[in-house]
Amino acid sequence: MTPPQRRRRHPGQETATPPPTPLFKEGKGKEGDEKAPERLYVVAGPDGERADIDLVTLIVARADPPPSAPPEQTAMLRLCTAPLSVAELSAYLSLPFSVVTVLLTDMLTAELVQARAPIVRQALPDRSLLEAVMHGLQRL
């Protein structure tokens, strides 16, 4: 078996495929926005200890967003007036799970939100409860 041969490019010869275009042009964001997107490490801040949060942990806002809160935290607090899972927050804000957990850790330490464990239902209902319901229905 012979190794594949590389073709030599000549200065005047054009390539068959055009070079890929960047997603965001310098100074302009997607679809003509004036602001370029923030890097995720700028949004999340320094990487320190994280709270024990998984995708199904429910988050509830405990306070209104303070004026000094970044826009991502303000958006989270407005979304969390009703309990939302971390996966839903990540989807609604279009942020990765790791960035959301860092932001939520900061908000938990500032006591702006409360994290609740998801409601775990038992695999099988209590047999005595089912028998009591069945007997009650038979009496009707």
Side-chain angles (χ1 to χ4, degrees):
M1 175 179 228
T2 60
Q5 298 293 320
R6 298 180 104 193
R7 287 190 237 165
R8 204 173 268 265
R9 290 189 206 165
H10 299 290
Q13 185 182 16
E14 291 190 29
T15 59
T17 59
T21 57
L23 292 176
F24 298 104
K25 296 179 181 175
E26 285 186 35
K28 294 204 173 200
K30 190 195 283 188
E31 297 176 9
D33 292 341
E34 293 298 319
K35 186 178 177 188
E38 295 289 336
R39 301 272 186 211
L40 293 178
Y41 59 82
V42 173
V43 172
D47 193 20
E49 291 187 28
R50 294 185 188 175
D52 188 23
I53 297 174
D54 58 356
L55 287 171
V56 292
T57 302
L58 297 176
I59 306 296
V60 182
R62 295 178 72 184
D64 291 331
S68 63
E72 293 81 16
Q73 288 184 357
T74 303
M76 270 192 215
L77 287 170
R78 289 189 178 143
L79 284 172
C80 291
T81 54
L84 279 178
S85 70
V86 178
E88 290 172 316
L89 280 174
S90 177
Y92 288 144
L93 297 173
S94 299
L95 291 172
F97 172 72
S98 58
V99 173
V100 173
T101 54
V102 171
L103 291 171
L104 285 173
T105 301
D106 294 341
M107 293 168 65
L108 283 167
T109 56
E111 296 183 354
L112 294 173
V113 294
Q114 178 182 11
R116 297 181 185 170
I119 299 171
V120 179
R121 298 181 186 229
Q122 294 179 351
L124 297 173
D126 186 25
R127 184 178 175 95
S128 61
L129 175 67
L130 290 176
E131 288 176 358
V133 169
M134 182 179 70
H135 291 305
L137 289 173
Q138 288 175 347
R139 288 185 197 145
L140 293 176

